[in-house]
């Protein structure tokens, strides 16, 4: 099945950039949508960005203009480039893959901490 491995999280200062990477090491190739979510302490999980198999991209209003999602179906990765990071971006970031045939799959999460 889909197995998602996330990397790239860490501690950064406000204003810096960070790129998160998610690699699918599984064997399901019919993934319609890949996305990045995040969950801050005490807050609900929210969508950050998503990209469909057809290349349609959606960004959350809270990060629009500061993030870029990139899907590489050859490498089976989806990256999230975040620029001008703010302390409010501090959260655990989760990769997600969805298939209409097989359901939804989540990575283990990677911590992003932005200091002011």
């Amino acid at each position: 099945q889909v197995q998602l491995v996330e990397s790239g999280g860490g501690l950064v200062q406000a204003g810096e950039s960070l790129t998160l990477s998610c690699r699918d090491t599984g064997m399901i190739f019919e993934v319609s949508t890949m996305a990045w979510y995040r969950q801050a302490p005490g807050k609900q999980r929210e969508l950050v960005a998503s990209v469909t198999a057809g290349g349609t991209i959606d960004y959350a209003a809270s990060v629009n203009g500061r993030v870029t999602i990139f899907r590489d179906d050859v490498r089976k990765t989806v990256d999230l480039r975040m620029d001008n990071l703010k302390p409010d971006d501090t959260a655990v970031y989760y990769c997600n893959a969805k298939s209409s045939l097989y359901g939804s799959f989540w990575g283990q999460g990677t911590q992003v901490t932005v200091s002011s």
Side-chain angles (χ1 to χ4, degrees):
Q1 64 174 23
V2 173
Q3 293 179 314
L4 305 176
V5 180
E6 299 136 324
S7 63
L11 174 64
V12 298
Q13 292 182 311
E16 295 182 345
S17 298
L18 193 66
T19 298
L20 306 180
S21 182
C22 172
R23 183 167 68 95
D24 177 11
T25 64
M27 300 187 68
I28 295 178
F29 293 89
E30 289 188 298
V31 176
S32 62
T33 303
M34 300 196 73
W36 281 95
Y37 290 75
R38 69 184 182 184
Q39 186 166 22
K43 296 181 173 59
Q44 64 183 21
R45 187 172 298 185
E46 65 174 350
L47 174 70
V48 179
S50 64
V51 55
T52 69
T56 300
I57 295 174
D58 184 53
Y59 293 112
S62 60
V63 299
N64 194 25
R66 299 189 295 116
V67 303
T68 303
I69 191 168
F70 179 78
R71 177 174 179 168
D72 187 334
D73 287 331
V74 176
R75 298 179 56 241
K76 297 175 62 179
T77 60
V78 57
D79 294 344
L80 184 72
R81 166 84 178 193
M82 299 186 291
D83 298 308
N84 192 24
L85 285 162
K86 307 177 185 300
D88 285 346
D89 295 320
T90 296
V92 178
Y93 285 70
Y94 297 91
C95 181
N96 176 264
K98 291 184 178 180
S99 169
S100 61
L101 296 177
Y102 300 101
S104 181
F105 302 87
W106 293 91
Q108 81 286 348
T110 183
Q111 176 71 45
V112 173
T113 302
V114 184
S115 62
S116 60

